[in-house]
Amino acid sequence: MMGEQSAMQEELFYGFSLERYVPADHLLRAIDRFVDLSGVRQHLAPYYSPIGRPSIDPELLIRMLIVGYCFGIRSERRLCEEVHLNLACRWFCRLGLEGDVPDHSTFSKTRHGRFRDADLLRELFETVVRRCMREGLGGGEGFAVDASMIVADAHRQRGIETAEELNPTAKRAVAEYLATLDDAAFGAATPVEPKFISPVDPAARWTASWGGPAVYAYCTNYLIDVEHAIIVDVEPSTAVRQAEVTAAKTMIERTHDEFGLWPERLIADTGYGSAEMLNWLVHERGIEPHIPVFDKSKCKDGTFSREDFAYDHSSDTYRCPGGKLLQHYRRRFTTPRTGVGKDNTLRYLASKHDCDACALKPRCCPNTPARKVTRSIYEGARDMARDIAKTDAYQTSRYQRKKVEMLFAHLKRILKLDRLRLRGPCGARDEFHLAAIAQNLRKLAKICSRRTVIPAS
């Protein structure tokens, strides 16, 4: 017998509980245990007037933003619709069945004003990191650092060649661009001028570093604890390698200042293996660099490379494969000279007399009178990195480095942050912080789902 549903009838009273209808294994229920917004109102208090009409509760806006970034909802209009219709979202946002969802324009107004003035999103990110540490997920023994390029909200075919052509009416975009010209992570990262500048987001870098067509982009830089892949710091930068190295230094120092974490080793790719960076890690910070050395001394024409010359530290000389000495200077100067070039290297020269009589000259310096070998003033740190690369711990670090790449894949494929919605360095910073908050909360929910959770305080 075929059944038939009776017509829906309105009832006078309903016995309904949101708490009962949200599944126990729902992601928002798992995340809710770790969301601590108790300090939000106090943090924002100086930025609100004590009189006037009450504003939208900032805690509600933050919870809605967390929902959006956890589920990859990129549109704030779409987010408001989802929170309005979804019972789990209403439960997480403390709206109940009849609570009003704020208009989408409220996010833009509050973000550009109070949230940025109070640096609220940075404060929330640090709160989540501290919670991860309380749960035992941030030991700080080994860190990995890397950067990933995120396309900016700027049309790649609409650009200008010089900053003088910028439209002065685009106040926010131009102001943020001018404010970052002396920033080592943005305008001052490299003296090379970009080929084109976006008129709507001039701080975005015109780049084709990923091998495809050139686009305007920013970079998000992650510093993670490799044991559990917790993001301990995040920093935006322009899309050039020098800026990424600067961001890495900033994150390492800030993590120590804010959380007291100091890694024993840092894992990174070859882009962070410059002599200056390795020297900073080894001699200034006491961190083992599990990083491939950036080295261009290998000769590809069949002649001897620098590694074929033996360096003697006591005499500060090189000995060539033919047994002859290469010296920094062959005579004394009245005024002592350091001999350090602009590229922070020292030059060691062989005697022309020795090279002319050497049978190995065709394999050593066939096109020059005498052989020259350069040595970085930071070669000690480079040698340490090379020695570490021969250990079993280094091979383990190579596998652990993939965890930061997996976070970037999760960021783009699951959280849908392959293109920015907000413009300017501040907009990129806001989006990167919210995405990192969402990733850390999801990690907490996944790892601690079967643990006895420590109550938020």
Side-chain angles (χ1 to χ4, degrees), residues 24-56:
D25 59 348
H26 196 282
L27 177 62
L28 288 180
R29 186 181 288 277
I31 287 176
D32 185 66
R33 299 179 296 174
F34 305 104
V35 176
D36 180 15
L37 302 180
S38 58
V40 168
R41 302 183 67 85
Q42 181 179 358
H43 187 78
L44 289 174
Y47 301 92
Y48 281 87
S49 173
I51 59 175
R53 187 176 65 178
S55 69
I56 301 295

Side-chain angles (χ1 to χ4, degrees), residues 183-200:
D183 192 336
F186 284 95
T190 173
V192 179
E193 294 292 333
K195 186 176 181 180
F196 297 108
I197 298 175
S198 170
V200 296

Side-chain angles (χ1 to χ4, degrees), residues 47-281:
Y47 301 92
Y48 281 87
S49 173
I51 59 175
R53 187 176 65 178
S55 69
I56 301 295
D57 189 348
E59 293 185 23
L60 170 59
L61 298 178
I62 291 299
R63 285 184 176 272
M64 290 181 65
L65 287 172
I66 290 174
V67 169
Y69 278 81
C70 280
F71 290 99
I73 303 174
R74 303 292 295 138
S75 167
E76 286 167 356
R77 291 176 184 266
R78 178 72 183 88
L79 174 61
C80 292
E81 294 175 1
E82 185 68 20
V83 173
H84 177 70
L85 297 173
N86 193 303
L87 294 180
C89 293
R90 280 187 166 272
W91 173 85
F92 180 80
C93 295
R94 309 294 191 263
L95 283 173
L97 283 176
E98 299 183 353
D100 293 331
V101 178
D103 188 76
H104 65 88
S105 61
T106 306
F107 291 97
S108 178
K109 180 67 176 178
T110 308
R111 180 193 302 112
H112 291 145
R114 299 182 179 95
F115 282 8
R116 286 185 184 172
D117 293 341
D119 203 11
L120 178 64
L121 298 180
R122 177 68 199 183
E123 180 69 19
L124 289 175
F125 171 77
E126 293 179 356
T127 300
V128 174
V129 174
R130 291 189 181 94
R131 184 58 190 271
C132 293
M133 294 171 61
R134 289 179 57 205
E135 296 290 340
L137 304 185
E141 295 180 358
F143 283 174
V145 66
D146 205 354
S148 183
M149 195 173 73
I150 308 295
V151 179
D153 183 27
H155 199 292
R156 60 179 299 271
Q157 294 181 345
R158 297 175 184 172
I160 55 179
E161 296 185 359
T162 62
E164 286 73 15
E165 300 178 49
L166 289 172
N167 184 0
T169 60
K171 296 181 180 179
R172 182 181 295 119
V174 175
E176 291 187 14
Y177 167 71
L178 296 175
T180 59
L181 288 178
D182 297 328
D183 192 336
F186 284 95
T190 173
V192 179
E193 294 292 333
K195 186 176 181 180
F196 297 108
I197 298 175
S198 170
V200 296
D201 191 355
R205 186 82 181 186
W206 175 257
T207 178
S209 61
W210 59 5
V215 294
Y216 296 104
Y218 290 93
C219 271
T220 177
N221 299 267
Y222 276 5
L223 182 67
I224 72 165
D225 181 272
V226 294
E227 184 176 359
H228 296 288
I230 293 295
I231 305 169
V232 295
D233 208 347
V234 57
E235 182 75 6
S237 70
T238 189
V240 295
R241 177 57 67 179
Q242 298 92 319
E244 296 168 13
V245 173
T246 300
K249 294 180 180 180
T250 300
M251 291 188 293
I252 291 171
E253 293 176 339
R254 188 165 55 198
T255 301
H256 177 261
D257 295 340
E258 296 296 333
F259 310 118
L261 297 178
W262 201 254
E264 296 178 2
R265 66 188 189 279
L266 181 71
I267 306 168
D269 59 26
T270 312
Y272 299 85
S274 64
E276 293 82 359
M277 180 65 177
L278 295 175
N279 181 73
W280 183 82
L281 290 172

Side-chain angles (χ1 to χ4, degrees), residues 377-406:
I377 60 175
Y378 308 123
E379 197 66 27
R382 287 158 58 90
D383 288 339
M384 180 178 179
R386 293 188 184 101
D387 293 338
I388 292 173
K390 301 174 184 177
T391 64
D392 294 336
Y394 179 83
Q395 299 305 319
T396 302
S397 297
R398 290 295 90 198
Y399 288 108
Q400 291 177 329
R401 194 182 70 84
K402 296 179 181 179
K403 293 184 178 182
V404 67
E405 296 176 350
M406 292 170 63

